[in-house]
Amino acid sequence: MPRPWNPSPAIQASFALHGAAALGVLAMPGHWPWALGALAANHLILTTAGLLPRSALLGANLTRLPATASARREIALTIDDGPDPEVTPHVLDLLDTAGAPASFFCIGSRARRFPALCREIVARGHCVENHGDSHSSAFATFGMRRMHADIAAAQSTLSDLTGQAPRFFRPTAGLRSPLLDPVLARLDLRLATWTRRAFDTREADPQRVFLRLTRRLGAGDILLLHDGHAARTPTGEALIVAVLPRLLQAIAESRLNPVTLTHSLA
């Protein structure tokens, strides 16, 4: 069910600025360059915010688990761009061995290609979340109708395949526009990004990826890795497969408890 959209303070200020600029030009037409300059600066700020995945200027953004989850020493592993028929099964086996649930942000079009694998993710105790249908690199430039259609298509696919409706959405590379927040409200989804990311789609050194994820590792962190589009080590192994055993060991040694994003809200 849709939920009410509550614009962020930055978006409310933007609305107010547009209204003030329009009224100002009507009252003093000669001042239109000032009004245009103010609007250009406003749009530059909003565009910059959309290029910062962890920014909350455009709307609520889950970059850390709630305080109650942190108090329980919980941490979230989130895995993007799958399902991948070669990498995801290895990831599931490693998570099983450690007894660590994770949240898989799946691409709708890939889920339709590998439906059994998508169902297996849920059957093994993990959650499937929404990573869009097309995973387009131009997602942040989509108009509201196209953005809604892309997210809704993935939501329908993932819900139908797994019997579990995603509760969270993550855009391609975390990039977005001011149009995303009202679309997510209509679809009753929450934006979730990360505390730290591995850059494991382009980094071939497992040690560097491991250090990025574990430096200052603490309760409440949301970690981002990739099973789809994973970079490869010099020996051809997917980065996530090479790093995950050490990462899970470091989490256990830090006495942190891996949970899904959904569980963290309980």
Side-chain angles (χ1 to χ4, degrees):
M1 294 292 292
R3 54 180 167 81
W5 177 50
N6 297 311
S8 70
I11 297 299
Q12 293 180 40
S14 179
F15 288 156
L17 178 63
H18 279 72
L23 292 174
V25 169
L26 287 175
M28 295 177 288
H31 288 187
W32 69 264
W34 293 97
L36 184 62
L39 293 180
N42 171 251
H43 282 273
L44 178 61
I45 291 170
L46 296 182
T47 299
T48 301
L51 298 175
L52 301 173
R54 301 182 70 245
S55 170
L57 278 179
L58 304 182
N61 185 2
L62 187 69
T63 61
R64 294 188 59 83
L65 301 183
T68 52
S70 294
R72 297 190 296 262
R73 298 197 56 76
E74 292 176 352
I75 191 171
L77 297 170
T78 65
I79 301 171
D80 283 14
D81 291 5
D84 182 281
E86 180 182 351
V87 179
T88 306
H90 293 297
V91 172
L92 291 173
D93 289 343
L94 292 170
L95 293 172
D96 278 356
T97 299
S103 298
F104 287 77
F105 281 83
C106 293
I107 300 169
S109 59
R110 292 185 65 86
R112 288 191 294 276
R113 289 175 60 194
F114 310 110
L117 188 51
C118 204
R119 294 188 190 100
E120 186 177 356
I121 291 172
V122 173
R124 294 214 201 179
H126 310 288
C127 282
V128 165
E129 304 296 351
N130 192 323
H131 200 34
D133 201 67
S134 62
H135 197 255
S136 171
S137 58
F139 176 84
T141 68
F142 285 3
M144 186 172 286
R145 181 175 296 181
R146 185 178 178 188
M147 189 178 293
H148 183 279
D150 189 84
I151 300 171
Q155 188 74 359
S156 176
T157 290
L158 297 171
S159 299
D160 290 347
L161 286 178
T162 68
Q164 179 188 94
R167 296 179 62 182
F168 295 92
F169 172 75
R170 179 176 287 160
T172 307
L175 307 180
R176 63 201 187 282
S177 76
L179 302 178
L180 177 60
D181 201 43
V183 169
L184 294 184
R186 287 180 60 189
L187 293 169
D188 195 23
L189 286 165
R190 294 183 59 177
L191 176 67
T193 54
W194 52 80
T195 310
R196 56 177 54 83
R197 65 195 301 184
F199 291 100
D200 56 334
T201 59
R202 59 177 186 259
E203 175 61 70
D205 184 348
Q207 177 66 9
R208 294 180 66 177
V209 168
F210 174 75
L211 291 176
R212 282 196 191 108
L213 293 173
T214 56
R215 190 176 290 119
R216 296 184 299 277
L217 183 69
D221 283 354
I222 300 173
L223 306 184
L224 167 61
L225 300 101
H226 292 79
D227 55 350
H229 305 124
R232 302 286 169 158
T233 68
T235 61
E237 188 176 30
L239 253 294
I240 186 173
V241 175
V243 169
L244 198 52
R246 290 181 64 197
L247 175 61
L248 292 168
Q249 182 180 354
I251 290 171
E253 290 173 352
S254 299
R255 298 184 180 179
L256 297 170
N257 307 309
V259 298
T260 64
L261 292 177
T262 298
H263 184 276
S264 75
L265 302 182

